[in-house]
Amino acid sequence: MMKGVPKMLLVSVALLAWACSLASAYDPSPLQDFCVAINDTSSDHAVFVNGKFCKDPKLATANDFFFSGLDTPRDTSNPLGSNVTLLNVDKILGLNTLGISLARIDFAPYGLNPPHIHPRGTEILVVLEGTLLVGFVTSNPDNRFFSKVLYAGDVFVFPIGLIHFQFNVGKTNAVAFAGLSSQNPGLITIANAVFGSNPPINPDVLAKAFQLDRNVVNYLQKKF
Ligand SMILES: *[C@@H]1O[C@H](CO)[C@@H](O)[C@H](O)[C@H]1NC(C)=O
Ligand SMILES: *[C@@H]1O[C@H](CO)[C@@H](O)[C@H](O)[C@H]1NC(C)=O
């Protein structure tokens, strides 16, 4: 009986350590140096795995870990006045299993990267040029809003799964770069997901949920 207790404790500690390792890195930890993804999913027999199939490591080259051109400003002449260039595992196949990706975000004056969620990644953003009003909102019931105006050289963190945005409040273009803690952080743009789903959500649901008139919901559903 007494002998069994330390064993139980050991199991609990091992389980806790395992849980902590899951919490510290959202993507599973790699079990080899790298696992360059094979990008061809066109085969009829391809199946989804948690991640991508790997290339034979002997066939990997430096280009599997390389991307060029992130110094070029992107076109921001769209209704939001922003443009996100995300280098995830689909763009740099060598990112597979490594739990990280990178984005460049360009903003026209008053350009907005609208409220969105990355379901699988925390984001750390650095402003290179311009002035950004940024913020995120915590989960229920508090829904606390954490916000800051950022200038060149300033860094801000957006925790995994929380709604956040970046808004250029300056009179010039703005540029930021962001690291994300997943090879495939995912993106849910709130307005598009709610009002632009395919097929549309029953307008009565949205009218009640957002306490809006049906006509306003119809208008928003047409817009998105
Ligand atoms: C972002 O910029 C690229 C290159 O400048 C352009 O091809 C693309 O259409 C732009 N995307 C949006 C959403 O404006
Ligand atoms: C991988 O495939 C996706 C989807 O077909 C494509 O957009 C992407 O450019 C490809 N990436 C590479 C590195 O070939």
Side-chain angles (χ1 to χ4, degrees):
M1 193 71 181
M2 281 301 283
K3 266 185 90 179
V5 172
K7 206 178 256 173
M8 280 288 288
L9 197 71
L10 210 69
V11 170
S12 317
V13 169
L15 277 175
L16 194 71
W18 176 71
C20 288
S21 74
L22 284 188
S24 65
Y26 200 80
D27 287 1
S29 302
L31 302 175
Q32 62 279 307
D33 280 357
F34 55 77
C35 169
V36 173
I38 294 170
N39 203 23
D40 182 14
T41 51
S42 59
S43 156
D44 286 346
H45 302 291
V47 291
F48 280 103
V49 291
N50 192 17
K52 306 238 181 197
F53 290 109
C54 306
K55 198 190 235 192
D56 179 345
K58 288 198 280 302
L59 302 177
T61 68
N63 278 336
D64 290 326
F65 303 92
F66 174 77
F67 183 92
S68 183
L70 215 56
D71 58 329
T72 316
R74 266 45 183 184
D75 182 0
T76 54
S77 57
N78 55 59
L80 289 169
S82 73
N83 193 324
V84 180
T85 310
L86 174 66
L87 302 184
N88 62 7
V89 67
D90 292 330
K91 298 283 157 44
I92 304 180
L93 298 172
L95 283 177
N96 194 35
T97 76
L98 297 183
I100 196 167
S101 54
L102 178 72
R104 173 189 172 115
I105 314 164
D106 289 271
F107 302 86
Y110 304 109
L112 173 69
N113 188 14
H116 63 279
I117 294 170
H118 302 295
R120 292 176 294 275
T122 288
E123 173 173 345
I124 181 163
L125 176 127
V126 57
V127 178
L128 261 69
E129 284 172 38
T131 310
L132 294 180
L133 168 68
V134 306
F136 67 83
V137 180
T138 68
S139 54
N140 300 357
D142 294 347
N143 298 137
R144 278 188 70 193
F145 179 46
F146 289 77
S147 179
K148 199 100 177 139
V149 175
L150 306 180
Y151 303 92
D154 290 352
V155 172
F156 203 77
V157 173
F158 305 96
I160 182 169
L162 299 187
I163 294 180
H164 62 281
F165 68 85
Q166 297 108 22
F167 184 42
N168 182 4
V169 290
K171 292 186 175 66
T172 61
N173 289 341
V175 185
F177 281 76
L180 294 120
S181 64
S182 170
Q183 68 178 33
N184 183 23
L187 172 65
I188 301 168
T189 306
I190 308 301
N192 301 56
V194 171
F195 294 105
S197 69
N198 180 23
I201 298 174
N202 182 327
D204 291 339
V205 172
L206 298 178
K208 193 144 235 173
F210 289 85
Q211 300 284 294
L212 293 173
D213 191 278
R214 267 285 300 256
N215 294 328
V216 179
V217 171
N218 289 339
Y219 169 82
L220 287 170
Q221 284 190 316
K222 275 196 198 90
K223 190 130 194 145
F224 290 98

